[in-house]
Amino acid sequence: MALSRRLVGQPAAIAAVVPYVEMYRARLNPEGRPAGIFLLLGPTGTGKTKTVEALADVLHGSSKKLLKVDCGEYQMEHEVAKLLGAPPGYLGHRETQPLLTQQKLSGAASESCDLSIVLFDEIEKAAQSLMRLLLGVLDKATLRLGDSTLVNFDKSVIFLTSNLGARVMSRELRPEFGFESAVPREGMEWGDKLERIGKRAVRKKFSPEFINRIDSVVTYQPLDSGALTAILDQQIEDLQDHIDRRLGDRAFRIEVPARSRRFLLEKGTSAEYGARELKRVLHHQLMQPLASMVTGGEINPGASVRAEVGPGKAKLVLRTTDDGEFIPAC
């Protein structure tokens, strides 16, 4: 499936999600419940949210084609009402538009695929009333709004992400985690250990009836140097595609040699945050200076711009093939 090209270094996540999507598309999924329910665990920066966005891109043509609930915004009991809307007769009934409506759920699907993708991000932060609401959604695929309208989730796949156990996992992974010293563990024993840590934290946090409604609990593994390199290569390709698409006939080529890629990996990956900072580093070191050069008329259409590591290894410098001048990436 095309998902494997967009999600690097997490084969277990692909193996867990793809069969449920295929069952839905074959119309062989169980009736009266969501098409799939997944709890994604693991250290930050390993690709949990990326999995959901990649699936949305594969099914609907856009990584933003999903309905996301940031559970950090619903930590207090009274805040959960924003998801459902106020009942008739209560203050704010007409002014407050619920987030989880059938219309918004349908908006997370597309003409090519009617499977809606729903993400409850950082589920461990949710108030208990939200967890109780979720029990009904996960069990019978229905949710009753404040005005008694029923929302049907049977044409949806639901993802719950969580950082439960992530700190313990990170302590276990150090000092080998990171680009410079990342060494993948051999065999199944290490992966099983991380999975036990995650599931132990889940059992402490959630009730058995909640856990039993989840189809698959996936524990994300640390990204080794090969996976991090592949992620960077993918992001540089995405940047080139973005330039080609937005500039058209005025597009140019970017060249990032191996030494510059190692520099970006050193700046954009860490033991604590995984690959989370990589996109920000690319934005700062490449996109911003490229934008400045474009607006200044310094890059001719069809030219090449080469990114080299500057003096002191503090930043990249950019050079066009037209004039040979180095432009600091600052």
Side-chain angles (χ1 to χ4, degrees):
M1 188 179 181
L3 185 61
S4 60
R5 295 196 298 270
R6 292 167 171 81
L7 183 63
V8 178
Q10 301 298 347
I14 297 172
V17 172
V18 169
Y20 286 88
V21 175
E22 290 179 340
M23 282 193 295
Y24 178 83
R25 301 187 82 165
R27 295 298 186 251
L28 296 176
N29 58 297
E31 297 180 350
R33 70 183 309 275
I37 304 165
F38 307 95
L39 175 58
L40 312 182
L41 306 174
T44 186
T46 52
K48 298 188 295 295
T49 302
K50 176 65 175 178
T51 300
V52 187
E53 294 174 344
L55 182 62
D57 192 24
V58 169
L59 295 181
H60 306 308
S62 172
S63 61
K64 298 180 180 180
K65 197 73 170 178
L66 56 89
L67 180 57
K68 180 179 179 179
V69 178
D70 185 351
C71 295
E73 298 179 6
Y74 303 96
Q75 301 185 54
M76 306 299 292
E77 297 294 333
H78 69 274
E79 294 172 328
V80 179
K82 293 185 291 185
L83 292 173
L84 307 178
Y90 282 74
L91 183 65
H93 166 59
R94 297 186 182 278
E95 291 78 11
T96 304
Q97 295 296 319
L99 176 63
L100 297 175
T101 63
Q102 195 71 59
Q103 181 180 5
K104 291 183 179 179
L105 188 61
S106 299
S110 64
E111 292 183 0
S112 59
C113 180
D114 63 351
L115 181 64
S116 299
I117 299 174
V118 185
L119 169 62
F120 290 89
D121 199 26
E122 296 186 307
I123 187 63
E124 75 276 7
K125 296 181 179 180
Q128 284 303 307
S129 56
L130 176 52
M131 300 302 296
R132 289 191 294 270
L133 290 173
L134 267 176
L135 280 175
V137 173
L138 303 185
D139 186 29
K140 297 182 179 179
T142 58
L143 175 68
R144 189 174 296 275
L145 300 181
D147 60 0
S148 295
T149 302
L150 278 179
V151 181
N152 197 322
F153 284 79
D154 62 352
K155 292 183 178 181
S156 66
V157 58
I158 297 177
F159 291 90
L160 317 168
T161 67
S162 175
N163 290 322
L164 288 170
R167 289 184 179 179
V168 179
M169 293 179 195
S170 296
R171 286 199 298 267
E172 292 287 340
L173 295 171
R174 292 171 182 166
E176 280 106 348
F177 182 85
F179 175 72
E180 283 294 326
S181 56
V183 179
R185 299 284 180 162
E186 297 294 334
M188 295 296 294
E189 182 178 351
W190 181 247
D192 291 343
K193 185 174 184 179
L194 294 184
E195 187 173 342
R196 288 196 298 271
I197 291 172
K199 289 186 175 180
R200 190 182 307 123
V202 168
R203 287 194 296 270
K204 287 182 179 180
K205 177 66 176 180
F206 302 126
S207 65
E209 57 266 36
F210 183 83
I211 297 173
N212 288 338
R213 286 165 169 79
I214 296 171
D215 292 316
S216 181
V217 178
V218 183
T219 303
Y220 282 59
Q221 302 300 308
L223 297 170
D224 61 23
S225 59
L228 292 169
T229 300
I231 290 171
L232 175 62
D233 292 344
Q234 188 179 77
Q235 292 190 3
I236 292 175
E237 289 179 8
D238 290 343
L239 174 58
Q240 183 66 67
D241 290 342
H242 181 70
I243 291 171
D244 294 341
R245 187 172 61 254
R246 296 299 297 272
L247 297 186
D249 294 339
R250 298 183 295 115
F252 53 89
R253 305 300 299 174
I254 53 173
E255 299 177 3
V256 186
R259 184 166 178 258
S260 300
R261 294 182 187 234
R262 288 195 296 271
F263 169 84
L264 291 170
L265 285 169
E266 291 166 2
K267 293 287 186 181
T269 62
S270 67
E272 185 176 3
Y273 297 110
R276 184 173 292 274
E277 296 295 314
L278 192 53
K279 185 173 291 187
R280 187 177 302 173
V281 169
L282 275 172
H283 186 82
H284 177 71
Q285 294 283 348
L286 284 177
M287 181 60 83
Q288 288 181 349
L290 284 172
S292 178
M293 293 171 71
V294 169
T295 56
E298 301 174 50
I299 307 178
N300 293 327
S304 292
V305 180
R306 186 176 178 88
E308 299 281 3
V309 179
K313 298 182 179 181
K315 62 184 69 174
L316 293 181
V317 292
L318 307 183
R319 176 173 57 86
T320 68
T321 56
D322 295 334
D323 54 24
E325 181 182 358
F326 279 89
I327 308 295
C330 57

